Amino acid sequence: MFIAVGKEGEEIERTARELYDKLKVLENENTHLYFEYLKKQDHGDALHLAVYSAFEKIFMQ
């Protein structure tokens, strides 16, 4: 699972990090969890970079 967030405001950024923290405790040898904060992107351009980054992390294992 890949969670990414850009400059979306304090509440959304915090919520994304909290989701990651809650799911991280469930991670095991059969699952992988990634989080990325895209500090230079916002709602309009974060998705494209997040998808690209997710593919790199997931398929480069």
Side-chain angles (χ1 to χ4, degrees), residues 6-60:
K7 286 299 266 182
E8 299 289 343
E10 181 185 341
E11 186 174 346
I12 293 175
E13 293 168 30
R14 179 181 43 77
T15 302
R17 174 58 77 174
E18 288 173 357
L19 174 62
Y20 171 78
D21 292 340
K22 288 180 180 184
L23 292 172
K24 187 71 178 167
V25 299
L26 302 174
E27 188 176 34
N28 61 47
E29 66 275 357
N30 296 318
T31 62
H32 299 286
L33 180 64
Y34 303 96
F35 179 86
E36 189 167 336
Y37 177 63
L38 304 166
K39 63 183 175 185
K40 294 183 179 181
Q41 278 63 48
D42 61 20
H43 186 75
D45 58 359
L47 174 65
H48 302 92
L49 291 173
V51 169
Y52 183 83
S53 186
F55 284 152
E56 279 188 326
K57 286 179 176 49
I58 292 168
F59 293 113
M60 296 299 237

